[in-house]
Amino acid sequence: MAIERTLSIVKPDGVAGKHIGEILRRFEAAGLRIIATKMTHLSRREAEEFYYVHKERGFFGELVNYMISGPVVISVLEGENAVLKHRDLLGATDPKKADKGTIRADFGKDIGTNTVHGSDAVDTAKFEIGHFFSGCELHPLK
Ligand code: ADP
């Protein structure tokens, strides 16, 4: 299986709810290595550019306003099949439809307040990682 990288963001509700530690613990317990992490408060421009693929969607304004409403924790995860493994840990976009035991089912409130973002493909992950981290900020094991 391929070693991949993916981008994870603990959204403002995950930070405010004090779930950062538990969420990162689940990633490590599943075999994903955290090779970069930082807490930041996104600017409107950073959030709009990050979510530009959704700019024509009706929820875009709401999504951006939500993502800049408080601090977030952004991490790069590395491991076998990392993109899908991370998405499996998150569960479905809508917490009400997410499988029991997934992060969104356990902590999410509704489709807009769903606790964690995860890249949906290797190519998307590459763009998303580059949006927030430079190469020398990534620390894979040698
Ligand atoms: P995912 O984050 O599971 O990849 P999408 O890429 O479809 O989901 O959407 C990006 C984010 O936009 C979601 O995580 C969610 O926070 C928000 N979102 C998606 N659909 C809606 C909606 N119908 N109403 C409000 N927010 C939404």
Side-chain angles (χ1 to χ4, degrees), residues 42-52 60 63-65 67-68 131-132:
L42 298 178
S43 67
R44 180 169 296 280
R45 186 175 162 195
E46 282 173 320
E48 284 177 352
E49 289 182 359
F50 181 74
Y51 279 118
Y52 82 97
F60 181 71
L63 173 60
V64 168
N65 283 337
M67 290 300 288
I68 66 175
H131 192 67
F132 291 120

Side-chain angles (χ1 to χ4, degrees), residues 126-141:
K126 209 167 176 184
F127 162 79
E128 292 183 352
I129 292 167
H131 192 67
F132 291 120
F133 294 94
S134 66
C136 62
E137 291 177 299
L138 307 178
H139 303 279
L141 277 191

Side-chain angles (χ1 to χ4, degrees), residues 11 51 54 57 59 62-63 87 91-93 104 111-114 116-118 120:
K11 297 184 179 186
Y51 279 118
H54 294 306
R57 312 278 291 270
F59 58 81
E62 186 189 331
L63 173 60
R87 297 275 297 187
T93 307
R104 284 167 167 172
I111 195 163
T113 314
N114 59 0
V116 184
H117 164 85
D120 63 1

Side-chain angles (χ1 to χ4, degrees), residues 80-140:
E80 279 187 3
N81 210 15
V83 171
L84 202 61
K85 195 179 266 186
H86 180 232
R87 297 275 297 187
D88 285 347
L89 292 170
L90 301 195
T93 307
D94 183 348
K96 291 179 198 80
K97 296 184 182 149
D99 287 342
K100 205 164 170 248
T102 60
I103 293 169
R104 284 167 167 172
D106 286 348
F107 306 124
K109 198 178 105 206
D110 54 46
I111 195 163
T113 314
N114 59 0
T115 315
V116 184
H117 164 85
S119 309
D120 63 1
V122 170
D123 282 354
T124 323
K126 209 167 176 184
F127 162 79
E128 292 183 352
I129 292 167
H131 192 67
F132 291 120
F133 294 94
S134 66
C136 62
E137 291 177 299
L138 307 178
H139 303 279

